C-alpha cells in the first residue's frame, strides 16, 4: 500500500467514525462504548484502575470524585450532578467541558466532552495544555433557563456561570444593566439576577478565543460569539477598522471541520471550520481557523436541534388548535422546514455537497447531539 493510499484510507476511516457518532443507537451500545474505551486506554497506555478526578464549577471550586479511569463522561457527569443534589431529569441540560487556563489569566472553553469519552484519559493526554474538567449548561436558547429555576442545585449552577461570564467580559451589559446586576449580586438575589442577565447582549452564547477568518477578506482576525441562532463575529479589518457580522443559522446549508496539521513551529495543531452561507442570494464558503472548531461544530448542531424541537412542538400545538380542513397544509409546511435543516452535514473531512445520504438530521434526536 502506497503512502497516498494509506492517507486516503485513514481519511475515509476518520470520516466514517465521525458519521457513526451521529447515531445514538450505536453510540449508546455496549459494543461501541467498549471499543472506544479500549481505543482510548490503549492509545495512552492507561489501565483500568481507581483514581481521583476533580470536576470544576464556574466559581473555581471543585468536586473530587473517586472514579475508575475507564469511567465515561456520561457516568462522571451523572455522579457529579447527583452529588450536588440536581434532579435527574435536569441532568440533560448540563455537560462536561475541557477548559484551559492561560498565563495571562484568560480562560478558554476547549471542547465539549463526548458522552462516551473517558475524561481521565483525555486529561492525561492534554497535560501540556494545563486543561481541567468542568461543568457548564448545555443549551443555546437562554429561555430554557426558566426550566431550571425551581431546583436549587441547577439555579446555583446557572448563577455561578453567569457571574463568571460577567467577570470575564464574555457578556456585554450596558452601564445601567451592570449597576443593577451588581446590586442583585450584593443582595444574593440569584433568581432576579438570572432574569435580568437574559436581557444582556451575548448571554447564553459560547465565546471562542480570537481567531483568523477569510471574511470579508483573508487574514482578518475575529472575536466569535455563538448563540441565539447566529455566529456573531467582530472582525478586525486590515485598515484598522472593525466590522460586526451576524451569520444566521437558518442561512447555513452545511459545515465541515478539517484537521490541517501542525503549525510551522510544531507546537499547535491547526483546525478549520468552514460553513456554506447564503449571502444576498449567493452561496459561499466562509472559513474560520480555530482550535475550537469542534466546539463550534457542537454549538451549531445544538442550535439546529433546538430549532427542530421548537418547530416540532409548535407544530403539534397548531395541529391541536387548527380546524381539520387546514391541518394537512400546516403539516406540509412543517415538513418542508425540516427538509431544509436536513441538508446539514457535520465534520466532513473533504469539501463535499450534501446529498440524500448526508441528510442525517431527520434521524437525530436531542440526546444524539
Amino acid at each position: 500500500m502506497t503512502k497516498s493510499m494509506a492517507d486516503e484510507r485513514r481519511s475515509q476511516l476518520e470520516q466514517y467514525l465521525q458519521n457513526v457518532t451521529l447515531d445514538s443507537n450505536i453510540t449508546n451500545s455496549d459494543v461501541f462504548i467498549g471499543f472506544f474505551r479500549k481505543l482510548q486506554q490503549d492509545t495512552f497506555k492507561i489501565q483500568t484502575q481507581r483514581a481521583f478526578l476533580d470536576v470544576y464549577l464556574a466559581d473555581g471550586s471543585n468536586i473530587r470524585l473517586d472514579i475508575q479511569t475507564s469511567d465515561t463522561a456520561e457516568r462522571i457527569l451523572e455522579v457529579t450532578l447527583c452529588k450536588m443534589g440536581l434532579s435527574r431529569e435536569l441532568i440533560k441540560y448540563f455537560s462536561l467541558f475541557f477548559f484551559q487556563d492561560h498565563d495571562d489569566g484568560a480562560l478558554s472553553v476547549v471542547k465539549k466532552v463526548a458522552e462516551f469519552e473517558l475524561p481521565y484519559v483525555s486529561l492525561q493526554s492534554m497535560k501540556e495544555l494545563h486543561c481541567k474538567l468542568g461543568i457548564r449548561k448545555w443549551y443555546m436558547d437562554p429561555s430554557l433557563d426558566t426550566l431550571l429555576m425551581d431546583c436549587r442545585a441547577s439555579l446555583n449552577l446557572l448563577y455561578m456561570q453567569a457571574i463568571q461570564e460577567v467577570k470575564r467580559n464574555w457578556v456585554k451589559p450596558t452601564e445601567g444593566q451592570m449597576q443593577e446586576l451588581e446590586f442583585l449580586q450584593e443582595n444574593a438575589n440569584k433568581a432576579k439576577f438570572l432574569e435580568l442577565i437574559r436581557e444582556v447582549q451575548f448571554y447564553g452564547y459560547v465565546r471562542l478565543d480570537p481567531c483568523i477568518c477569510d471574511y470579508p477578506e483573508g487574514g482578518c482576525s475575529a472575536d466569535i460569539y455563538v448563540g441565539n441562532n447566529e455566529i456573531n463575529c467582530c472582525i478586525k479589518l486590515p485598515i484598522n477598522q472593525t466590522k460586526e457580522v451576524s451569520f444566521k443559522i437558518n442561512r447555513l446549508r452545511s459545515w465541515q471541520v478539517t484537521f490541517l496539521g501542525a503549525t510551522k513551529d510544531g507546537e499547535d495543531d491547526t483546525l478549520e471550520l468552514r460553513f456554506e452561507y447564503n449571502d444576498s442570494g449567493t452561496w459561499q464558503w466562509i472559513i474560520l481557523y480555530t482550535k475550537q472548531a469542534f466546539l463550534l461544530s457542537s454549538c451549531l448542531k445544538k442550535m439546529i436541534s433546538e430549532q427542530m424541537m421548537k418547530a416540532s412542538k409548535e407544530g403539534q400545538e397548531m395541529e391541536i388548535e387548527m380546524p381539520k380542513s387546514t391541518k394537512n397544509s400546516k403539516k406540509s409546511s412543517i415538513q418542508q422546514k425540516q427538509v431544509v435543516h436536513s441538508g446539514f452535514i457535520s465534520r466532513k473531512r473533504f469539501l463535499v455537497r450534501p446529498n440524500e445520504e448526508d441528510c442525517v438530521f431527520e434521524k437525530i434526536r436531542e440526546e444524539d447531539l
Side-chain angles (χ1 to χ4, degrees), residues 7 101 186 224 235 255 274 280 301 316 369:
D7 290 340
D101 286 313
E186 290 173 1
I224 309 293
I235 302 172
W255 73 86
R274 59 175 62 204
S280 302
K301 286 190 286 186
Q316 291 173 357
L369 300 171

Side-chain angles (χ1 to χ4, degrees), residues 129-254:
L129 299 178
H130 305 292
C131 287
K132 58 187 180 183
L133 185 68
I135 291 178
R136 286 177 60 90
K137 66 181 183 183
W138 182 228
Y139 50 88
M140 308 300 293
D141 181 357
S143 67
L144 295 178
D145 279 3
T146 57
L147 302 178
L148 292 88
M149 301 296 283
D150 294 333
C151 172
R152 182 177 179 181
S154 58
L155 176 67
N156 287 335
L157 285 168
L158 293 182
Y159 181 70
M160 285 188 287
Q161 184 172 326
I163 292 292
Q164 179 195 53
E165 293 179 359
V166 171
K167 287 182 177 179
R168 293 189 173 277
N169 296 318
W170 291 358
V171 294
K172 305 294 183 183
T174 64
E175 185 177 346
Q177 287 174 329
M178 190 65 194
Q179 290 176 355
E180 193 169 350
L181 288 171
E182 289 173 348
F183 174 79
L184 293 172
Q185 184 181 353
E186 290 173 1
N187 290 274
N189 194 332
K190 299 178 182 179
K192 284 291 186 181
F193 185 97
L194 290 170
E195 182 180 338
L196 174 61
I197 201 171
R198 284 200 291 274
E199 301 173 6
V200 172
Q201 185 183 23
F202 296 137
Y203 176 72
Y205 286 62
V206 173
R207 185 183 187 279
L208 304 187
D209 294 341
C211 67
I212 302 299
C213 68
D214 72 342
Y215 184 92
E217 55 185 287
C220 294
S221 63
D223 293 328
I224 309 293
Y225 292 84
V226 190
N228 195 27
N229 297 320
E230 68 168 343
I231 304 173
N232 185 284
C233 302
C234 184
I235 302 172
K236 297 178 182 178
L237 303 174
I239 55 177
N240 293 324
Q241 293 181 346
T242 59
K243 178 179 182 180
E244 186 172 345
V245 181
S246 173
F247 298 106
K248 301 299 183 182
I249 192 73
N250 59 3
R251 297 173 68 181
L252 270 71
R253 182 160 63 182
S254 63

Side-chain angles (χ1 to χ4, degrees), residues 291-319:
K291 292 185 290 184
Q292 296 162 295
F294 285 113
L295 174 63
L296 176 53
S297 178
S298 297
C299 292
L300 294 176
K301 286 190 286 186
K302 193 66 172 177
M303 287 191 289
I304 292 297
S305 71
E306 289 176 358
Q307 276 191 348
M308 292 177 65
M309 289 182 67
K310 187 175 181 180
S312 176
K313 184 177 179 180
E314 291 175 351
Q316 291 173 357
E317 292 174 350
M318 288 295 291
E319 284 191 10

Side-chain angles (χ1 to χ4, degrees), residues 249-254 283 304 307-308 333-344 354 359 361-362:
I249 192 73
N250 59 3
R251 297 173 68 181
L252 270 71
R253 182 160 63 182
S254 63
W283 291 99
I304 292 297
Q307 276 191 348
M308 292 177 65
S333 175
I334 293 170
Q335 289 177 340
Q336 184 177 8
K337 185 176 182 180
Q338 290 176 332
V339 169
V340 172
H341 288 318
S342 73
F344 283 79
C359 296
F361 277 92
E362 289 179 340

